[in-house]
């Protein structure tokens, strides 16, 4: 099994809510894109391998307009290697960028950290997306940190559907699951401060419900270390719980393991 396949079975989120920054493993750009509460406007590409982008002559940078972002989401983003972008409201705003703005953007894409603020008021960006082997190591800055709450509410049923489809390749109809209530997603958002590990790899389905193990395994910046030693990290977790979806009521809850 390739690493690109392995990462689909777990999600790890190392949250730095005060810095509006989340480091994630197991969430690909395609899943991020489809889980956003509002569509992306345009994307300024800092590091990429997308062949159908447009070129902005003043900044010497590539960009993708809203109508083409779905093509980017369907591309083989994982194999770009580095994939870094910042969204922006209007193409005309790119003309407002001065040399120091361009220098800050190049620094952002090269070192995967902001020179000053990750947010550029001229571009009006809501996100900064900095990935290496997309889905393996993603660092994302949110102007509104509660957008992550909305993403969590959608990414979990989306991931469940994808994994079910992968496990049962002959199933014709794709299963769909309800999104999480925002109150519950907010609880998960809080848990990211302690390194939330969502273990779809050991998701269990019974006649009554579906249970997804949850753990808090601490801060990791090295995703190889986090993934390779995940069983040891789970054993030492302060939280032992399940995210539960009942079949009959289609209700979500979190149950601690006794």
């Amino acid at each position: 099994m390739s690493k690109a396949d392995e990462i689909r079975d777990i999600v790890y989120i190392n949250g730095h809510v005060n810095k509006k920054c989340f480091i994630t493993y197991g969430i690909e750009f395609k899943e991020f894109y489809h889980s956003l509460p509002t569509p992306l406007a345009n994307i300024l590409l800092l590091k990429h391998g997308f062949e159908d982008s447009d070129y902005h002559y003043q900044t010497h940078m590539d960009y993708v307009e809203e109508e083409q972002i779905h093509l980017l989401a369907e591309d083989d983003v994982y194999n770009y290697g580095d994939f870094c972008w910042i969204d922006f409201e209007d193409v005309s705003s790119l003309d407002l960028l001065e040399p120091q703005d361009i220098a800050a953007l190049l620094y952002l894409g090269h070192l995967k950290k902001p020179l000053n603020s990750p947010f550029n008021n001229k571009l009006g960006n809501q996100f900064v997306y900095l990935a290496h082997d997309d889905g393996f190591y993603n660092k994302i800055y949110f102007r509104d940190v509660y957008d992550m709450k909305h993403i969590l509410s959608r990414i979990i049923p989306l991931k469940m559907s994808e994994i079910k489809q992968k496990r049962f390749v002959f199933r014709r109809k794709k299963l769909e699951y309800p999104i999480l209530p925002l109150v519950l997603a907010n609880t998960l958002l809080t848990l990211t401060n302690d390194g939330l590990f969502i273990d779809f790899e050991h998701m269990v389905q019974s006649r009554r419900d579906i249970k997804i193990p949850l753990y808090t395994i601490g801060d990791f910046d090295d995703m190889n270390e986090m993934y390779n030693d995940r069983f040891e990290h789970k054993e030492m977790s302060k939280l032992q719980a399940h995210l539960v979806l009942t079949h009959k009521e289609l209700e979500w809850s979190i149950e601690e393991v006794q």
Side-chain angles (χ1 to χ4, degrees), residues 72 80 84 117 123 127 162 169 172 187 191 211 218 220 222:
L72 174 61
Y80 292 175
C84 305
S117 170
L123 298 179
F127 310 101
E162 290 175 342
V169 292
R172 292 183 179 180
T187 299
L191 292 173
K211 293 185 176 181
F220 289 92
D222 184 336

Side-chain angles (χ1 to χ4, degrees), residues 161 164-176:
S161 179
K164 283 285 187 179
Q165 194 73 19
K166 184 176 71 174
R167 290 180 180 176
F168 302 100
V169 292
F170 298 109
R171 185 189 296 274
R172 292 183 179 180
K173 186 176 180 181
K174 188 173 183 180
L175 293 173
E176 294 188 2

Side-chain angles (χ1 to χ4, degrees), residues 9 19 25-26 42 44 61 64 84-86 91 94 98 102 105 107 109 125 130 137 147 157 184 203 222 227 233 247:
D9 290 342
K19 297 180 180 179
Y25 175 107
N42 309 282
L44 183 63
M61 290 183 176
V64 183
C84 305
W85 57 263
I86 179 173
V91 174
L94 297 178
E98 298 179 10
I102 297 171
L105 289 169
Y107 183 95
N125 66 303
L130 308 168
Y137 178 92
D147 279 339
L184 192 58
M203 179 171 61
D222 184 336
Y227 184 83
H233 300 323
H247 291 305

